[in-house]
Amino acid sequence: MDIQGTEKLRSEMEGPVLLPGDEGYDEARALWNGMFDKKPAVIAQCKSTRDVVSAVNFARENELLVAVKGGGHNSAGTGSCDDGLMIDLSLMNKVEVDKDTQIVTAQGGALLSEVDAETQKHGLAVSSGIISHTGVGGLTLGGGFGWISRKFGLTIDSLVSAEVVTADGKVVTASESENPDLFWGIRGGGGNFGVVTSFRIKTHKIGNEVFSGVIVKKFEALKEYMRFFRSYVRKMPDEITIWLVVRHAPPLPFIPEEYHGKLVALIPFVYLGEKEKGEELIQPVRDAEETIGDGSGMHPWTAWQQGFDPLVEHGARNYWKSHHIKELSDECIDVIYKFAQSMPSQECEIFVPHMEGAPSRVSSDATAFPHRNTPFVLNIHTRWRDEADDKKALKWAKDFHEETEPFSQGVYVNFLSDEGSARVRQAYTEEVWEKLVEVKRKWDPNNLFKVNQNIDPQSSWRQHDLVH
Ligand SMILES: Cc1cc2nc3c(=O)[nH]c(=O)nc-3n(C[C@H](O)[C@H](O)[C@H](O)COP(=O)(O)OP(=O)(O)OC[C@H]3O[C@@H](n4cnc5c(N)ncnc54)[C@H](O)[C@@H]3O)c2cc1C
């Protein structure tokens, strides 16, 4: 490492530049997924767009590998790298709401909790993810969905513009009217095109409380419940979102003690509207198979958004496999039921979000997020503590994923692990991939930003067909 260069970077930057051994270095390089213990040669803790420009120029001039850390949540560990430069955006977490336009501006390192805190002061919300310590950066650049996206679309569908530091160190705006190709690419193409220093996102009026909760069923009733779930939720208006999580029951007050630590089916839901109407829509869910716990009621939005946080705190070992599911056929349900019974730890989850609604009404080539007609996602959240269990945990996830493959169609880029370039393409279609490559060639021809689900500027879909 060229220390001379590091000193220059330090003198240019307002935020700290950390080297191995410096105070704060280990904290800054830590990622949500404890599987990764990467040690960057330099960490640039940026405080401003100018700092980001200095860091990007430093990386390019020194031919360093660059990783960009927003919230550090990506399960593939792409927020850091070994021996290169980590651009840590965690100090760039300011969030401001313009009450008149109802647009929120969030810096590139803000967390969802920080966006919720500001927007909720005005009864507003961004359609985003369900774990509040996730970063706005990675989530938005991959697409972004959560409890209210069936009503309001993906996070990218509400993105108005972004400020981007490009590979050549320029600061540009990406929007429908300025650099529209870049704007298209950052809505689903991840961090491939530059460092986003701020996002301007349209918010939606939801008030401060929502009718929401978790209904609990016995695991033994899972197959029957899923047969009801697969058709019922698809008939529902966009105002209600009903998902399914199979896991060992956490010790929550509304779950009878005898079920704590036992496999159960959790059915979380959110309704945007009057409670009475929500009760009417959710009653058939309560009635389908025996309900053994019910935590539904009016909940503050911020509390609801943080409700699942304790189950996925930072630091545990995680391995995610995912795909979009065409149809929850009886055969697919059988596979889910089978693998649920051999979960390698109490912290694993099988997560089945229902996706249809506003996202599906946006055309598949309008953004770089083409798989918009998927009814369900199947997320295999493998989570454990002991390194000695790695092999067992990974095998469970891979086997489960392979057996559900016949029911799948594509994948959400933000749920990919490190699965190779052919798999990255499955997050896209041929048309979208070719356009992504074109945009990449224009904005990052030398692939400076490659620590991500990479769009190699030299690649093409056809070449992939031949190679794989
Ligand atoms: C527990 C958990 C729950 C999740 N829930 C949801 C959910 O409900 N909905 C959903 O859509 N997704 C969800 N995700 C997936 C999540 O969207 C991705 O993991 C996302 O990458 C996290 O973003 P981050 O900024 O925290 O991650 P990081 O690891 O910091 O970043 C991931 C990648 O994004 C890029 N990046 C991040 N910030 C920037 C930036 N400002 N500029 C340029 N590039 C940047 C970089 O390439 C980086 O490698 C969840 C993930 C986890 C682990």
Side-chain angles (χ1 to χ4, degrees), residues 68 70-74 78 89 108 129-130 135 138-139 144-145 194 196 320 412 414:
V68 180
H73 238 262
N74 195 280
T78 55
L89 299 174
I130 69 158
L139 177 129
F145 75 93
V196 177
W320 282 24
Y412 173 30
N414 272 348

Side-chain angles (χ1 to χ4, degrees), residues 95-144:
V95 178
E96 274 171 10
V97 178
D98 181 327
K99 271 189 302 183
D100 298 331
T101 58
Q102 305 204 333
I103 289 172
V104 62
T105 304
Q107 282 189 311
L111 303 182
L112 301 189
S113 56
E114 290 158 344
V115 172
D116 285 339
E118 287 306 311
T119 52
Q120 275 292 282
K121 287 180 186 163
H122 312 283
L124 302 170
V126 165
S127 169
S128 66
I130 69 158
I131 298 296
S132 80
H133 42 79
T134 310
V136 176
L139 177 129
T140 305
L141 294 167

Side-chain angles (χ1 to χ4, degrees), residues 167 192-193 439-449 457:
N192 269 285
F193 307 103
V439 179
K440 179 78 173 176
R441 280 186 190 148
K442 176 168 164 197
W443 293 96
D444 184 18
N446 298 318
N447 209 5
L448 181 70
F449 301 110

